[in-house]
């Protein structure tokens, strides 16, 4: 039925000038996805239920990449094609076979990589996979960028560069691109030394300026971006919103955006884009997002009970970790999310964290991969480098394995859990290890895992940035 205006429905006001006609959110976010042909000509809306997999499959097989510097994290670049293309390991097809319809990425913009992203996007489109392309959040940590957490210049330059490297088709975003993740867990910005005085204004100003930058880049490049959604994935930490109106995990960030889009001054920001235009983009393109390791029933209880205040904008889980959970629990959680996405028009679904074990981070990050890497190699990447990893080098591409021997019991069957939940399957093609026992675990990793005991959880964005800039990393050149 209709959604009348009320003090509890903060978004109702936006409908007045967005051109939205009720009922509910049918004009805010299409419910049905469009299948993409081999020649991507038709734009795709976000699919519901969203069944995503986070993809950051760096080829490193040891902690800190063996002290050789971290490989470039921009997975879309053509130098990684032996991992994701049909002529190599075909990671994208592996995800599609599991039942995924979406791939979440983190570093698609902002690393200043000079490479065509078109082949990756075209391959995704051929397989019917939508792309949630992410910006390199760590740029906001740098002393020489995002001064005062105003990320307008950095994010605009990165977006314009993306348009020149395969992200545009005519006057549109590439049809495989369904959404842009402007920042990942910016709520940790308040712990950065450059956030002075410390407070929520830093995270909110960064988001507003990033959104402002994307809208400006679209105007300058002549891109009609109305189809592509905009979002930020907040952490599931218990925080209070910038206006003090909401306290709760994840939802604090939802309220941050509602308050700041009405009054950017609350975050000490003055938009370059006319405010009415930013408000209209928020009303028609924004999707709320959060990351979590918590069980679905708990997340649903924490978010859904308050979500009326954010309707009719939808929300999704950008990372479902399932940390240390059994196959049965993960399968049940994912099926529960699917069912809720079908019955609740405001919930889109979730992205599973993540495709491959993150060896280079070690510790708790070893808990989350669906696949490990084996000792056999398929070849090498092209030379990879970016502004964080200025020394270009090639990396061996290892075979995939479902073996996760450091996880106990059925917790090690993470890929099987996803396939069972989504009605998919694990197709062990040429990119998989020929002998499952040939999994790769160096002595260094075994010693590290034994010393640390069962890892407790994943790193925050701030911890990842600190690790990248550690003295042991060749990327430490700032």
């Amino acid at each position: 039925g209709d959604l009348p205006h009320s003090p509890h429905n903060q978004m109702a006001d936006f409908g007045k000038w967005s051109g939205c006609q009720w009922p509910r959110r049918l004009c805010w976010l299409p419910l049905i996805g469009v299948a993409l042909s081999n020649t991507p000509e038709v734009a795709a809306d976000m699919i519901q239920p969203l069944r995503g997999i986070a993809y950051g499959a760096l080829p490193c097989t040891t902690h800190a990449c063996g002290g050789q510097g971290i490989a470039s994290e921009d997975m879309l670049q053509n130098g990684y094609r032996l991992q994701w293309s049909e002529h190599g390991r075909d990671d994208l097809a592996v995800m599609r076979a599991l039942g995924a319809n979406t791939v979440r990425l983190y570093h698609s913009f902002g690393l200043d990589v000079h490479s065509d992203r078109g082949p990756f996007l075209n391959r995704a489109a051929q397989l019917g996979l939508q792309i949630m392309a992410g910006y390199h959040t760590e740029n906001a940590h740098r002393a020489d960028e995002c001064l005062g957490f105003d990320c307008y210049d950095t994010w605009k330059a990165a977006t314009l560069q993306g348009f020149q490297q395969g992200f545009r088709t005519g006057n549109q975003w590439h049809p495989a691109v369904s959404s842009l993740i402007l920042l990942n867990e910016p709520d940790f910005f308040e712990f950065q030394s450059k956030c002075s005085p410390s407070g929520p204004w830093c995270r909110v100003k960064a988001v507003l300026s990033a959104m402002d930058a994307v809208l400006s880049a679209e105007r300058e490049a002549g891109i009609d971006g109305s189809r592509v959604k905009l979002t930020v994935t907040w952490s599931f930490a218990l925080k209070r919103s910038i206006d003090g109106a909401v306290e709760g995990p994840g939802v604090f960030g939802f309220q941050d955006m509602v308050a700041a889009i009405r009054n950017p001054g609350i975050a000490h920001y003055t938009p370059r884009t006319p405010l009415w235009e930013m408000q209209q983009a928020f009303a028609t393109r924004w999707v709320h997002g959060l990351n979590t390791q918590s069980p679905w029933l708990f997340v649903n209880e924490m978010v859904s009970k308050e979500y009326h205040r954010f309707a009719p904008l939808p929300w999704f889980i950008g990372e479902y970790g399932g940390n240390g959970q059994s196959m049965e629990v993960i399968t049940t959680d994912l099926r529960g999310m699917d069912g809720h996405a079908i019955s609740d028009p405001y919930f889109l679904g979730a992205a599973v964290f993540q495709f491959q074990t993150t060896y280079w981070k070690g510790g708790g990050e070893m808990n989350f991969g669906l696949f490990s890497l084996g000792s056999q190699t398929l070849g090498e990447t092209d030379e990879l480098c970016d502004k964080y990893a200025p020394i270009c080098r090639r990396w061996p591409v290892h075979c995939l394995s479902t073996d996760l021997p450091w996880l106990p019991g059925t917790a090690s069957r993470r890929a099987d859990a996803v396939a069972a939940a989504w009605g998919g399957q694990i197709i062990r093609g040429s990119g998989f290890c020929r002998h499952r026992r040939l999994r790769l675990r160096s002595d260094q990793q075994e010693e590290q895992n034994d010393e640390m005991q069962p890892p407790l959880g994943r790193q925050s964005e701030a911890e990842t940035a600190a690790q990248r800039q550690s003295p042991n990393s060749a990327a430490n050149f700032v």
Side-chain angles (χ1 to χ4, degrees), residues 55 57-59 70-85 92 105 107-121 165 167 381-389 392-395 468:
Y55 187 62
L58 266 63
I70 307 302
S72 177
E73 293 183 273
D74 179 2
M75 302 306 304
L76 279 78
Q77 60 185 292
N78 217 27
Y80 274 123
R81 64 185 179 275
L82 191 60
Q83 292 191 181
W84 47 254
S85 79
L92 291 173
L105 295 131
H107 311 279
S108 313
F109 304 91
L111 281 176
D112 198 27
V113 174
H114 300 282
S115 177
D116 186 11
R117 300 339 190 264
F120 181 99
L121 297 172
Q165 296 178 341
F167 271 102
T381 67
D382 291 349
E383 289 199 341
L384 304 173
C385 48
D386 57 44
K387 68 181 183 182
Y388 279 91
C392 300
R393 59 158 294 180
R394 295 175 180 268
W395 297 83
R468 261 192 165 279

Side-chain angles (χ1 to χ4, degrees), residues 56-62 65 71-72 75 80 83 89 356 359-360 373 381 384 394-398 440:
L58 266 63
C60 304
T61 56
T62 56
C65 294
S72 177
M75 302 306 304
Y80 274 123
Q83 292 191 181
R89 204 168 64 190
Q356 178 196 296
Y359 293 90
W360 73 273
L373 296 178
T381 67
L384 304 173
R394 295 175 180 268
W395 297 83
V397 175
H398 291 265
L440 179 65

Side-chain angles (χ1 to χ4, degrees), residues 257-293:
M257 292 308 300
V258 172
I261 206 69
R262 285 177 171 169
N263 175 24
I266 198 172
H268 315 303
Y269 185 67
T270 301
R272 283 77 155 182
T273 298
L275 182 56
W276 69 266
E277 189 174 333
M278 287 192 66
Q279 291 173 333
Q280 186 176 46
F282 183 73
T284 58
R285 298 176 64 181
W286 194 262
V287 179
H288 294 299
L290 59 83
N291 300 333
T292 184
Q293 299 179 38

Side-chain angles (χ1 to χ4, degrees), residues 143-382:
D144 58 343
E145 297 190 72
C146 293
L147 301 181
F149 285 96
D150 183 346
C151 293
Y152 179 88
D153 291 336
T154 300
W155 259 244
K156 182 178 179 180
T159 306
L160 291 173
Q161 184 183 56
F163 289 147
Q164 297 173 356
Q165 296 178 341
F167 271 102
R168 72 178 295 166
T169 301
N171 69 339
Q172 303 277 335
W173 285 89
H174 189 286
V177 178
S178 65
S179 56
L180 304 175
I181 301 178
L182 302 177
L183 289 156
N184 185 51
E185 300 184 1
D187 41 296
F188 290 102
F189 289 175
E190 61 194 81
F191 303 114
Q192 298 291 314
S193 59
K194 64 187 288 185
C195 181
S196 181
S198 178
W201 69 270
C202 300
R203 70 191 188 220
V204 179
K205 184 176 181 180
V207 176
L208 287 175
S209 58
M211 178 182 180
D212 191 2
V214 171
L215 297 177
S216 178
E218 289 176 341
R219 285 195 307 273
E220 184 173 316
I223 297 294
D224 175 8
S226 58
R227 173 187 62 81
V228 173
K229 307 305 173 186
L230 305 173
T231 189
V232 162
T233 45
W234 305 95
S235 81
F236 205 57
L238 180 63
K239 293 178 180 286
R240 186 176 293 277
S241 61
I242 191 171
D243 62 353
V246 171
E247 183 176 23
V251 294
F252 70 87
F254 301 178
Q255 180 62 24
D256 277 352
M257 292 308 300
V258 172
I261 206 69
R262 285 177 171 169
N263 175 24
I266 198 172
H268 315 303
Y269 185 67
T270 301
R272 283 77 155 182
T273 298
L275 182 56
W276 69 266
E277 189 174 333
M278 287 192 66
Q279 291 173 333
Q280 186 176 46
F282 183 73
T284 58
R285 298 176 64 181
W286 194 262
V287 179
H288 294 299
L290 59 83
N291 300 333
T292 184
Q293 299 179 38
S294 300
W296 162 242
L297 290 179
F298 178 73
V299 176
N300 188 31
E301 179 184 358
M302 290 293 99
V303 177
S304 293
K305 68 180 181 181
E306 293 290 338
Y307 204 78
H308 58 271
R309 68 171 61 238
F310 307 116
L313 297 187
W315 69 286
F316 75 104
I317 296 174
E319 290 179 1
Y320 165 71
N323 186 14
Q325 300 300 319
S326 67
M327 175 182 173
E328 294 74 17
V329 169
I330 293 174
T331 299
T332 299
D333 273 357
L334 292 177
R335 286 175 176 168
M337 293 177 205
D338 260 22
H340 194 68
I342 292 170
S343 63
D344 184 342
Y346 304 135
F347 180 63
L348 293 178
V352 174
F353 187 79
Q354 61 183 334
F355 180 79
Q356 178 196 296
T357 298
T358 309
Y359 293 90
W360 73 273
K361 292 182 180 179
E365 293 286 342
M366 297 286 289
N367 288 2
F368 298 102
L370 302 183
F371 299 101
S372 61
L373 296 178
S375 59
Q376 300 163 5
T377 60
L378 309 178
E380 289 186 331
T381 67
D382 291 349

